[in-house]
Structures are given as structure tokens and as C-alpha cells.
Amino acid sequence: MPTISIFKSDLESLLGAPGEPRTVSIDELQEWLTLVKGEVKGYQADSGELRVELQDSNRPDLWCCEGIARQIRIKFGGTARPYPFLSKQPGRPPQLLVAPGLDRVRPYVAACAATGYRVTEQGLAQLIQTQEKLADIFGHKRKTVSIGIYRLQKIRFPVTYELANPDDARFTPLGMETPMTLSEILMVHPKGLEYGSILAGQSRLPLLRDAEHRPLSFPPIINSREIGEVLVGDDELFIEVTGTDAAMVVLTLNIFAANLADRGAAIQPIAVRYPYETPFGKRVVTPRDIGRPRPIQIETIERALGQELGATVVKEALETYGYHVSTGKQSVTVKLPPYRQDLMHAMDVVEDVAMSLGYGAFSPEMPSQFTVGGLSRIEQLSDRARELMVGLGFQEIISNILGSPDHYRDAMRLEGTEWGKMVEVRNVMSSSFSCLRQWMIPSLLRVEAASARSFYPHRLFEAGEVAIFDSAHEVGSRTETVLGAVIAHAAAHFSEIHSCLDACLYYLGKTYGLEPIPHPSFLDGRVGTIVVSGTPIGLIGEIHPEVLERWQIAMPVVAFEVNLSRLEQVV
Amino acid sequence: MDTTSSCDNLHPLEIAVLGVFGAHPAGAALTTDQLAEATKLESSQLSMAIEWLLAKQLLAITSETVTPVVSLTAVGKSYIERSSPLDRVLSAAREASSTGKRLTIADLQTKEGLEPSDVSKAVGRLKKEGALLVVQGGCLESTGRPSPSVEAMRALLCDLDEAPRPLESFPEVQRALIHDYAVKRGSAREPFRIEERTTRSYTLSQAGAAAVTALAGQAKAEEVAQLSPDLLKDGSWRTKRFRKYTISLRPPRIAAGKKHPYREFLDAVKLKLVSMGFQEMRGSLVETEFWNMDALFMPQFHPARDIHDVYFVKEPARASAVAEPFFSRVAATHEHGGTTGSTGWGYRFDPERAKRLVLRSQGTAVSARTLALSPSVPGKYFSIARCFRYDQVDATHATDFFQVEGIVLGEDINFRTLLGLLNLFAREVAQAKEVKFVPAYFPFTEPSVELHVRHPRLGWMELGGAGLFRPEVTQPLGVTVPVIAWGLGLDRMAMVALGVHDIRELFTDNLDLIRTTRGAF
């Protein structure tokens, strides 16, 4: 999903022990990245910048240099580094007080402080990138989760998370020179304009302030410039996460805490006090270990992977992938590290076992059970019709199904008619791709209109799917397979296309009749419905000169169209 | 030179000319006129044939004589109808004398409509011959004496009306008159033209003589261009000779009836899959979000479900209902895992959203439908499904495209048999002997794997993605055995096979391109 930018030297220092970077070649790195479902998309040797794409949308902890390094480091170091901030610390942690009413606006908050890590240029770039990627992709453009990072020494505890009057509360936001009220920020500030819709309809707005009433930020919109602008060289940080999903808020904070701890910071937990109930209670100390032990049968893992492994191998594989594991006789009990929350089913653990062992550790084996292959009836009929059309001298065409009402309906003179009904797209990107074709002949006229220089005669056909509007159907339309054919040359004539239809239906074993009808796309008196056993299955005729004019085709065209799905059903 | 072959390639006009030489004694020299008379050819055809034969060195020029030839000009031809000015001046003078009228030079111009220059020239000549007198007052009188010029002029007009004649064939008097009345510089309006005609005579070269001999051998048979039913019916083809063609020329173009090269490629894939025991599935171009995404355990808040990735249907916007029991089971699985042993995504499933209609965005929707229709166990299924993505169109992104996807169900399905199946695809579909399995992420499979293969021509490429369907996908749809979900990315192979560099060209409207693309699979 996300593509991130990291620096090779930064990655190397995170891969090694503190002060001892572990150098890595790009080829080596590409190998290791399979552990995180990542791929190197670009490398600039002079700046050392790597562009890495991460696939797993359930592993936001991997969308940063620290997370990638951690997963690889655990694999090669054999064990995960402990995170002491998860265990109970002596003394009372600083407090973050939540005011009443936020449960109806943006209920959850988590925070911590990080000291002793001096922010480097590359470290700051990572911090900002992680903040953006998590809020944007994992946090649904800040709706579910947003993150603020501040200079700790400017903050007096307890910090309060409260609702403020939009016209009273004011501070100088990042990117501005003068104080603004919250209303003004929403109306003027670029971030206010971009994310303001998250707070639409709220009369009072979230505000984080410290014990001296200095605003930290207006979540999830913008930080205060005074307290919320982190610079290279800062070594005391305060991090908060607000959002609408308690678990996602805590997970996001855990990821930041782990990342900063990996860079050498000491993490100081914060106690959040709510006036309302949350999934974690009214007093929540964050970061918080939200993993739950989960027993899994060894046999479940072995059966899914098709290989006997035993408890020891499974335990080692999971431990070197960051899990906490204890073994029983026939089962393991696993717990995810604090920066992960993607264990929904035992199968998630199965994949991690396979990734940790490497897919190369599993030898491929052919499925052994016998099955009979075959084509659907409609595909068989379609293939037979295509063979016949080729034998009749027609060139096969293959077209887009998504097209424009101009082509499928208006140019065919079908506006307002039953034949002009079609499946149209609501979120149109380009009018050229805004509806599904309801018949085939326009697809062939499309080629005809573009190919006046190709030598004549033109004999074209296409067999393919169309969507026929049908409000009675489950999905409002029927997908049917039709065969369309056109002939174009100076003397193209009804009887010529009629002969082709006649031959085609003869060999398909269908007796048919033609019944004259009026149809706006064809010349009156030279068009008919093709009827088999009393069921209309298609059309044949000479294309109306006005249709040709609209397509800018300067050559007579005759055509037929047979609905193969319907033909297949008539006896 | 090979006489036989040169003889075979002779044009009928050339054969006609050579034939005349054949009728004369060997070494005879024949003039253009003689050849014209003997062949009865138009002069342009004859000169063409002679040019060709000279170029082929079958004829040689023996002599060249230049003869002055007299012919009538347009003016001369008009004199046949109206008589010459000389004649008309004399007649007018005689008439005036016999009636006693006065005739002036001005009268000749006004009444006879003669040009002043013609009048003065005629009067001068007739006066000199003594046939005319100019009397006082500028009046003309006939002397009654004959004019030799008038007689000679009449005779010449009469003679030359039929055909031009050599100047030498006329007597001295007439020759003088011709010279006086011939077109020269400064006097264009004259009745006679003297031209120099070159008469050539030709003999056969040695090769020409050989060709004549060769032709004589064939001469008995008449040459025909085309075998006809009549010739076959009466057997007369036996006495005919068929002109040989120059077969090295390019033939006229015809348009073959043939399959579209991209379709042929997909047909080949289809055949491969059927031969490996896969049964075809079909689905609908329009799907509910339920079958397109919910049934595949993609949470409704999943980023890929945003308005920017899928086309929504305008009318009707929603399906009236989604079939039970799948609807409730899938909803429960999303919310808390249902009976699958999963925690679920832990959010409130929106049933209205599940009913929203979209253009099918992934072939896996077809697989989901199949899972709900009590598929065979063991079973293998595939579909080549048209899918639609809400994406900017460019050389690598098409707005609609084919996805080749499928499922494999069975008690023996596990991660290793998944890899085994992918090995088979690598070998059968891409003719690849080397493969790499790379961990991957798909929302509906766990474990997931990407198949990379070394294609014999394209090198290392990603051929497809696969995985074991999550139990959250299979169990709510009533399937209790493990299921492989696989998909193949064949567009790059197709583009290389068809020699196109832009994915949109797979659906091109350029008939010339479609007609000329061979496709190499």
C-alpha cells in the first residue's frame, strides 16, 4: 500500500546494536524485505535515499524505517528487544485529563513523552513521514486517527483534552504568523480546509491545552506553532494520538513509542483520565499492551502449511518474528508485540510462521485430486459462433465495455427509447467511460469510424458481454453474451449481411425468421428482428445514414446482432 | 540470352512484329510503313512494339531516310469546302465582268469575307499570270484567261484530302505552289504543311532471328489469357497456348477472416486451464459491494473501497436484497468473526452499503459467487472476467481489462499444494522453469504469495498472486474445506506477444493494426 522514503544509513544504524550500524547491500536488503512484504522501488546512491513499497495494509508498524529495521533485526538477532514502558513504572505518571462531551466528538486519546533521543535530520523526516502515512492511510485521512508531536519542555502537566468554543479558543497554528480562532483556522488554514469536514456539524471543537492554558493543538487539524513545532536537535518530545477507535488510537501511540525507543529514547507513559467509559476503562495508561494471549493448535498450523513442524520450530519461528510465545503439548499460546494488532484468525499466525521460516522452506507439492475441466455452455456457443464468423471472412474485434452514452445511445439515435436504456456510472471520471455497452454494434462502428483508410471491404465481428438494463434483476441489469457483425464497403447491402446471418444460424442449428420492425438505428424498411421459436434474439439491417454521419463514417454499413445468451436458451 | 525464356515473355504486339519478319526472307529489311501495313497495328502500338524489340536487341536499325511529306493544315482542309482565296477572287472577278459590275479590293473583303492578306496575295498572283487586270479606280477585271495556279490548287486540295504524300510525287508546278502556300515562320495560315518524315528500316538481330524461329514453332497455337469453362467443355484448351505470368509481382491484398490476436491469446490461456482440469465460471459485470468486497472480508472502511477505486452504478444505486444466509453470516463475520474463529474487524457492518451496486472491480467476485453455489469438492474453477477500475487511463492502466482468476477446493489444499499449483502455472502458462515465491498481501487470503517466474523471453516477471482464502471468506459462504484463490497477471505477456507497448492497444480501433498483427504465443 504505502510507498515510503527511508535513508540507507538510518536503516543500517537501526539494524545494528546501538552505535554499531550493520551495513547492507541493496540486493541483501531486497531479500530481507520479503519479511515485511516490502519491495525496493528506487535507490539514489548519492543521497542514500531508498523508496520502499509496503504491501500489508494491516501492518502500519512496518510503514517506517524503524519498523522495517525492527522486523529484520529480530529475525537475525533471534529475540525482540523488551519495551520496559509497557510494564508498571514506579511513581505516578503525568496526567492527561479528558473533558466531558468528547465522547460525542472525538472520544479517544493516548499520549507519551520521549526523552534522551536527540532528533536528527533523518530521524525528524521519518517522524513526520510516519505521522503522515499513519494518519492518512491507517487513520483514513485523520478521520479515525491523527497524531501530534510537541516539544515537551514547553508543556506543563496535566494536559487537558477538552471541547472549546470555536470563536474563543485561539493560538498561532503551524504555518501562520498570527493567532487565529478555531473557526478562523477551519475557514482559512490549508489544513483546516483539507480536514475541517471531519468536525462538520460540531458546535464545540476539540482542543488540547496544558496546565497553563496554552493550546497544544486543535486535533485533528493543526498544532500550535509555539509548542507543536519539533526541530532538529530537540531531545524531549510529547506525542499524542486522538481518534474515534480506541484500539487504533492506542496501537498508533504504541508504534511511535516503540520507534522512539528503538532510536534510544526513554518513554514516559501518560495516564489518561476519562469522564466516560472506554474499552480500556476510565483510567488508561499509555502506551499500553493491548495484545491478548491466544492458544493455537500446532496441528492447525501444520495442516495449513502442509508440513510437520513441531512446537519448537513453531515457537522459534514466531519468536524471531516478534511474537511472545509459550508452548504447551499440542499447542502454542501466542501474543503479538505491542505495535501490532492484526491477529484476527489463527491463519494470520500461520502466515507469519511461513514468512519467518521463509517460503523457500516449503517444497511445492501438486494437488493430487482429479477434477474435470470444461467451458461454460455460453462460452462453448460463443466459441462456435466465432469460428463460423471467421469462416465467413470476418475479422474479430475486441473492445472496451465501459464507454460513453454518446456512442452507445445518442449516435445510434436511441435517446429516449427502450433500446437506449443502459447501466450508467455515478462517479464519472471521464464521459468517455461512463456507461456499459447495452449492445455490440456501436463497438464495431467505433472501429469502422477509425479505419476509413484500411482497405475495403470491412467485415468485422465481436462476441462479448453487454449489460442489459433490467430493474427486475437482482443487480439491476443482466450480463449477456452477444455476437455483433458489420460489413462496410461501397456496395454493402442488406442481402449480403443476411446471407452471413443465414449461414451462421444454419450451422448453429437454429431456424429463424425476420420480422420487420421500426428501429431508429437502421433504415426504415430495411431492418428486422431475428426471431427463433417465437423469441426475438437479435436485429439485422442497414445502418441509418444519420447514424453513419454521427460516427463520421462515409461508407454504407450493414449489420446484425444476435444475443447468444438468449439463443442458447431457446429450444 | 536464353531465347526460350525471352520468347515466353514477349508481348502479343512484339510477337505480331516478329511474325512479319518471319514471313520475309531471312535478313530482309522492312520499313515502318511495311510493318504497319503487314501487322495492321495502330502507329502508336507499332512504335511501342518496335521500341521494346530494339531495347531487347531483337531488332536492329539498318537505314534511316528522311523524306519531305506534304499534308493539309486545318486551313487547307477548310479550303476543300469553301475553295481557296485564289479561286474565290478569280470567280468573283469573272462574275463581275460578265454582269458589268464593279469589283474593288474592298468589296472582296466585305462581300467575300476574305482576309486582306489573302486577297492581296491572290490578286498579285492572278495579275502576274495575266488572268486579272487592275483598271482605273482600283477595280478588278477578268481577262478571261485561265489561271494555272487555280487549277493546280484545286488538284492539290483534292489529292491531299485523302492522305499526306511525299513532296517528290508532285510535278514541278504543283511543288512550286506548295512551297508558296506552305506554313512557314511568319505565315501560319496556309493550307499546306511540309514535314520531314524519318523512315527507318529494320532487320532482325541474331537473337531476333532465333526468337522468330522459336515463335514459328509455337505459332500454330493461339495464345489465351485465361482458362475458361468453354475451353474445358469442348477440349479446345489443347490447341491453346496460355500466356505465362510474371509471378514475382506482389499479389493484391485480401482481408482474411480471423480471430483477434488478443482473443487468441486468451483462448490459449483458456485452453491451458481447461486442460489442467479447471471449470469455467461466469459472473455479472455489475455486482453488489457485497459480492465484490464484503464476501471477500474486505472491511467496509478498507481504503481500496473508497469512491476513488470503484465505479458505482447510477440507477438503480442499490440491489433490493442480498441472498441469505450469506448476508447475515458475512455481516457477523465482519463485526465479530461470527462462527469462523476470527475476531472480525470490530466495526458496525452497514447492510445498505453492502447492497450498493458497482462495476465488478476484481475477478475474485466471481469466485465468491461460486463458493456460495455449493461448488464441487475437490474442484477447480477459473474465470476470464472483465473488470473495471476507477483509475486514470494510461499506457499501463486500462479502464476495463481482463482478470484471469480462479479457485481450487479440496481436503488436500494447503500452503505446499498452493505452491505446487503455482509451479504448474509457471510451467504451463509461462513456460518458465525457474520460480520464486514471495510473501504478499491480499485482503482475502492468508498466507498470500506472489509468483515470480523467469520467462524464456521476458526474464523475471510477476506472473500472479495467490493464497489460501481466509476462513472468514469461505465459511460464511458454506465452504468448509481449504480453498486456494489464484490470479494471473497476463497483460504484460499479452502485450509482448502482440507487439504493443500500450495496454489500451489491446482494445485498439485501428483495423490495420488488427489485420496485420500475427501474435506469437
Side-chain angles (χ1 to χ4, degrees):
Chain A
M1 291 253 302
T3 300
I4 63 166
S5 165
I6 63 177
F7 288 91
K8 191 162 170 282
S9 56
D10 192 30
L11 180 73
E12 285 171 338
S13 65
L14 284 160
L15 279 173
E20 294 169 40
R22 174 169 183 166
T23 54
V24 55
S25 72
I26 297 299
D27 284 347
E28 234 178 331
L29 180 62
Q30 187 63 75
E31 272 310 302
W32 293 355
L33 283 178
T34 59
L35 277 171
V36 297
K37 297 183 186 173
E39 192 184 345
V40 174
K41 287 286 180 184
Y43 175 56
Q44 284 187 316
D46 47 348
S47 65
E49 188 183 348
L50 282 157
R51 304 223 22 105
V52 179
E53 188 188 59
L54 285 317
Q55 278 196 28
D56 197 332
S57 60
N58 292 341
R59 290 286 307 269
D61 61 298
L62 296 176
W63 305 348
C64 52
C65 192
E66 297 90 338
I68 293 171
R70 183 185 305 125
Q71 193 73 72
I72 297 170
R73 196 178 58 228
I74 297 169
K75 181 74 208 164
F76 293 102
T79 48
R81 219 173 258 174
Y83 290 117
F85 53 82
L86 296 173
S87 43
K88 197 158 168 57
Q89 314 256 319
R92 286 170 63 84
Q95 293 202 80
L96 194 158
L97 309 172
V98 181
L102 272 158
D103 49 342
R104 291 187 297 273
V105 181
R106 194 168 180 85
Y108 307 109
V109 61
C112 71
T115 55
Y117 161 62
R118 192 171 293 279
V119 176
T120 62
E121 202 170 316
Q122 293 182 352
L124 182 62
Q126 285 302 306
L127 211 52
I128 292 170
Q129 176 176 265
T130 309
Q131 182 185 5
E132 282 171 356
K133 296 290 176 191
L134 289 187
D136 194 45
I137 301 171
F138 185 63
H140 304 104
K141 298 192 165 58
R142 302 193 185 178
K143 204 171 115 210
T144 328
V145 166
S146 68
I147 303 127
I149 306 173
Y150 312 84
R151 313 176 84 171
L152 180 66
Q153 69 268 42
K154 302 232 175 187
I155 299 171
R156 296 288 162 271
F157 285 92
V159 169
T160 305
Y161 180 44
E162 64 183 13
L163 284 172
N165 188 326
D167 295 315
D168 291 347
R170 55 198 290 133
F171 62 91
T172 306
L174 282 174
M176 292 285 163
E177 302 292 328
T178 50
M180 299 168 86
T181 65
L182 303 188
S183 316
E184 284 167 345
I185 289 173
L186 288 180
M187 281 184 292
V188 178
H189 197 282
K191 298 294 176 191
L193 295 169
E194 193 176 349
Y195 299 108
S197 63
I198 296 170
L199 298 168
Q202 301 292 352
S203 56
R204 282 151 57 79
L205 300 173
L207 185 77
L208 274 165
R209 63 164 176 84
D210 78 350
E212 292 172 16
H213 289 268
R214 284 175 304 197
L216 272 66
S217 70
F218 169 21
I221 311 294
I222 191 79
N223 278 11
S224 146
R225 182 172 151 173
E226 193 195 344
I227 303 178
E229 186 173 34
V230 176
L231 300 172
V232 171
D234 284 348
D235 61 357
E236 296 192 324
L237 304 177
F238 176 72
I239 298 114
E240 59 72 23
V241 181
T242 60
T244 56
D245 183 298
M248 283 168 76
V249 164
V250 171
L251 176 71
T252 304
L253 185 79
N254 288 354
I255 291 171
F256 272 89
N259 286 359
L260 286 162
D262 284 359
R263 287 187 182 275
I267 302 300
Q268 165 69 62
I270 304 282
V272 182
R273 296 183 71 102
Y274 291 93
Y276 43 84
E277 274 303 330
T278 79
F280 302 115
K282 281 186 158 184
R283 180 176 180 275
V284 188
V285 178
T286 60
R288 179 187 166 93
D289 193 353
I290 48 176
R292 264 175 298 186
R294 186 171 175 137
I296 295 172
Q297 299 297 309
I298 296 291
E299 197 213 338
T300 305
I301 296 172
E302 289 178 336
R303 206 175 43 221
L305 292 175
Q307 193 151 310
E308 278 184 31
L309 298 167
T312 318
V313 173
V314 169
K315 180 174 192 285
E316 193 189 318
L318 287 174
E319 275 176 349
T320 55
Y321 205 69
Y323 281 77
H324 183 269
V325 187
S326 55
T327 46
K329 252 193 169 169
Q330 268 128 29
S331 68
V332 284
T333 299
V334 302
K335 190 161 89 66
L336 282 177
Y339 46 83
R340 282 184 64 178
Q341 204 194 356
D342 58 320
L343 203 177
M344 285 187 280
H345 195 278
M347 287 304 278
D348 294 303
V349 180
V350 167
E351 185 184 69
D352 286 343
V353 170
M355 289 224 295
S356 184
L357 293 172
Y359 282 8
F362 298 86
S363 55
E365 186 181 63
M366 274 302 297
S368 57
Q369 285 169 304
F370 178 79
T371 59
V372 177
L375 294 177
S376 64
R377 285 169 60 106
I378 186 64
E379 187 70 7
Q380 291 175 44
L381 177 62
S382 165
D383 281 355
R384 179 106 181 87
R386 289 169 58 217
E387 293 282 352
L388 290 170
M389 293 311 290
V390 166
L392 288 166
F394 285 73
Q395 166 67 56
E396 186 173 32
I397 300 298
I398 184 163
S399 308
N400 289 95
I401 291 177
L402 193 59
S404 77
D406 275 0
H407 287 161
Y408 296 155
R409 182 187 63 207
D410 302 355
M412 303 307 293
R413 304 171 82 228
L414 296 178
E415 300 113 294
T417 69
E418 196 60 28
W419 296 289
K421 283 191 164 178
M422 55 201 336
V423 175
E424 290 184 67
V425 163
R426 177 147 51 86
N427 51 334
V428 174
M429 178 183 293
S430 144
S431 62
S432 317
F433 305 111
S434 58
C435 68
L436 298 181
R437 69 179 171 203
Q438 82 281 30
W439 63 324
M440 185 62 84
I441 288 171
S443 290
L444 298 171
L445 293 182
R446 165 192 77 107
V447 176
E448 203 44 57
S451 304
R453 292 220 191 97
S454 200
F455 67 95
Y456 289 91
H458 296 171
R459 292 159 84 89
L460 315 176
F461 83 97
E462 179 170 354
E465 287 175 327
V466 300
I468 296 169
F469 191 88
D470 179 358
S471 51
H473 192 274
E474 178 195 352
V475 294
S477 62
R478 286 174 280 124
T479 297
E480 295 187 342
T481 302
V482 303
L483 167 69
V486 301
I487 298 176
H489 59 87
H493 186 265
F494 185 89
S495 66
E496 188 181 357
I497 193 77
H498 192 185
S499 301
C500 298
L501 174 74
D502 195 73
C504 183
L505 288 180
Y506 174 79
Y507 290 111
L508 292 178
K510 304 288 182 184
T511 312
Y512 74 99
L514 296 187
E515 290 173 7
I517 48 149
H519 189 292
S521 305
F522 299 89
L523 267 178
D524 207 24
R526 299 181 178 191
V527 49
T529 312
I530 307 162
V531 180
V532 174
S533 307
T535 307
I537 55 110
L539 288 165
I540 180 168
E542 294 189 7
I543 300 292
H544 197 286
E546 198 181 311
V547 171
L548 298 179
E549 242 175 45
R550 291 188 193 181
W551 280 96
Q552 297 187 300
I553 295 171
M555 195 58 78
V557 178
V558 291
F560 76 73
E561 173 151 343
V562 167
N563 185 318
L564 297 174
S565 299
R566 233 175 282 172
L567 188 68
E568 198 239 318
Q569 278 157 21
V570 293
V571 187
Chain B
M1 186 194 288
D2 179 359
T3 318
T4 318
S5 72
S6 71
C7 202
D8 286 341
N9 288 331
L10 288 173
H11 190 274
L13 290 176
E14 294 174 307
I15 292 169
V17 172
L18 290 176
V20 177
F21 282 94
H24 284 79
L30 299 175
T31 64
T32 318
D33 287 345
Q34 285 172 304
L35 289 170
E37 200 182 321
T39 57
K40 306 278 189 259
L41 293 175
E42 302 255 328
S43 71
S44 61
Q45 288 183 318
L46 178 62
S47 55
M48 207 155 57
I50 289 171
E51 285 302 318
W52 293 340
L53 289 167
L54 287 171
K56 290 180 183 172
Q57 297 184 324
L58 296 176
L59 276 193
I61 299 170
T62 46
S63 68
E64 216 171 54
T65 52
V66 181
T67 330
V69 172
V70 187
S71 60
L72 287 183
T73 65
V75 173
K77 283 181 180 147
S78 74
Y79 289 178
I80 295 169
E81 292 278 308
R82 293 182 291 142
S83 300
S84 65
L86 207 57
D87 211 331
R88 287 159 72 185
V89 169
L90 187 59
S91 303
R94 281 181 177 161
E95 199 187 328
S97 299
S98 65
T99 56
K101 280 183 188 160
R102 281 162 53 89
L103 179 71
T104 65
I105 288 183
D107 289 339
L108 284 170
Q109 289 173 18
T110 53
K111 291 183 184 160
E112 292 291 327
L114 289 164
E115 296 284 325
S117 60
D118 288 344
V119 172
S120 62
K121 192 173 178 184
V123 169
R125 190 168 192 106
L126 291 169
K127 209 172 82 178
K128 200 172 156 191
E129 284 182 343
L132 206 67
L133 280 177
V134 181
V135 296
Q136 204 184 359
C139 289
L140 300 178
E141 277 182 12
S142 163
T143 59
R145 269 194 266 169
S147 161
S149 298
V150 171
E151 300 303 320
M153 178 64 83
R154 284 182 189 162
L156 277 172
L157 290 173
C158 193
D159 284 353
L160 291 168
D161 188 24
E162 288 166 17
R165 280 173 53 179
L167 189 61
E168 304 308 318
S169 64
F170 293 102
E172 178 56 35
V173 184
Q174 291 185 340
R175 284 214 297 266
L177 192 73
I178 289 167
H179 276 297
D180 285 350
Y181 283 91
V183 172
K184 296 184 228 23
R185 184 177 300 174
S187 54
R189 296 187 63 259
E190 296 294 355
F192 306 115
R193 178 183 287 119
I194 303 169
E195 284 171 309
E196 299 204 321
R197 177 172 297 171
T198 311
T199 310
R200 287 183 179 140
S201 60
Y202 307 93
T203 54
L204 290 174
S205 66
Q206 208 178 340
V212 167
T213 313
L215 280 174
Q218 303 175 346
K220 280 171 226 110
E222 185 199 341
E223 190 185 81
V224 290
Q226 181 83 42
L227 184 60
S228 67
D230 288 340
L231 292 177
L232 286 167
K233 243 180 253 167
D234 60 14
S236 58
W237 63 270
R238 289 171 214 280
T239 63
K240 309 291 182 195
R241 220 154 34 75
F242 297 93
R243 183 153 62 83
K244 300 192 178 180
Y245 297 145
T246 309
I247 56 169
S248 57
L249 297 177
R250 286 189 65 82
R253 287 180 302 179
I254 53 164
K258 63 180 194 63
K259 291 180 182 175
H260 191 284
Y262 184 33
R263 209 21 148 210
E264 274 189 293
F265 173 85
L266 294 172
D267 282 349
V269 172
K270 190 168 85 180
L271 185 67
K272 268 285 174 223
L273 289 166
V274 170
S275 72
M276 290 187 271
F278 285 85
Q279 178 72 42
E280 195 203 10
M281 321 176 268
R282 302 285 278 216
S284 172
L285 295 172
V286 176
E287 260 303 358
T288 50
E289 282 200 41
F290 181 84
W291 291 107
N292 195 65
M293 293 173 274
D294 293 330
L296 296 167
F297 200 54
M298 293 171 72
Q300 292 181 325
F301 58 80
H302 194 280
R305 294 186 58 159
D306 263 10
I307 187 133
H308 299 299
D309 293 274
V310 194
Y311 281 108
F312 293 98
V313 174
K314 195 199 259 175
E315 176 69 43
R318 283 188 170 76
S320 46
V322 174
E324 291 288 5
F326 311 114
F327 197 47
S328 317
R329 286 195 204 152
V330 167
T333 306
H334 275 241
E335 289 188 348
H336 49 74
T339 57
T340 63
S342 170
T343 61
W345 287 106
Y347 73 105
R348 266 192 78 111
F349 186 83
D350 179 358
E352 285 309 300
R353 176 143 189 196
K355 291 181 203 160
R356 263 203 313 208
L357 294 174
V358 297
L359 305 191
R360 178 173 62 206
S361 69
Q362 47 188 359
T364 324
V366 185
S367 300
R369 286 265 190 186
T370 301
L371 288 179
L373 286 171
S374 310
S376 309
V377 178
K380 295 203 201 98
Y381 296 88
F382 80 100
S383 72
I384 300 181
R386 194 75 73 100
C387 299
F388 306 88
R389 288 276 165 87
Y390 192 83
D391 219 338
Q392 286 295 342
V393 176
D394 61 31
T396 52
H397 296 86
T399 165
D400 59 335
F401 51 91
F402 284 104
Q403 274 194 343
V404 183
E405 294 222 9
I407 47 177
V408 179
L409 308 90
E411 294 289 354
D412 65 341
I413 292 307
N414 56 45
F415 186 60
R416 285 179 59 202
T417 47
L418 164 67
L419 300 184
L421 180 78
L422 294 179
N423 253 350
L424 181 70
F425 282 149
R427 210 169 51 230
E428 290 298 317
V429 180
Q431 295 87 48
K433 291 190 182 72
E434 275 182 81
V435 302
K436 252 190 324 206
F437 300 116
V438 181
Y441 173 78
F442 306 108
F444 36 80
T445 55
E446 198 86 12
S448 309
V449 54
E450 253 172 29
L451 169 65
H452 294 244
V453 302
R454 202 209 288 273
H455 188 274
R457 276 183 299 154
L458 308 179
W460 281 105
M461 60 174 277
E462 187 184 329
L463 182 66
L468 301 180
F469 259 137
R470 300 184 68 101
E472 293 99 320
V473 175
T474 53
Q475 286 180 19
L477 301 180
V479 172
T480 51
V481 294
V483 180
I484 290 172
W486 57 268
L488 297 173
L490 303 178
D491 283 340
R492 189 156 159 248
M493 268 169 65
M495 285 164 71
V496 169
L498 271 55
V500 303
H501 303 288
D502 186 323
I503 196 165
R504 288 166 292 188
E505 280 189 28
L506 295 174
F507 293 144
T508 183
D509 57 9
N510 181 340
L511 183 55
D512 270 338
L513 183 73
I514 299 167
R515 278 174 163 176
T516 52
T517 303
R518 273 186 285 260
F521 312 125

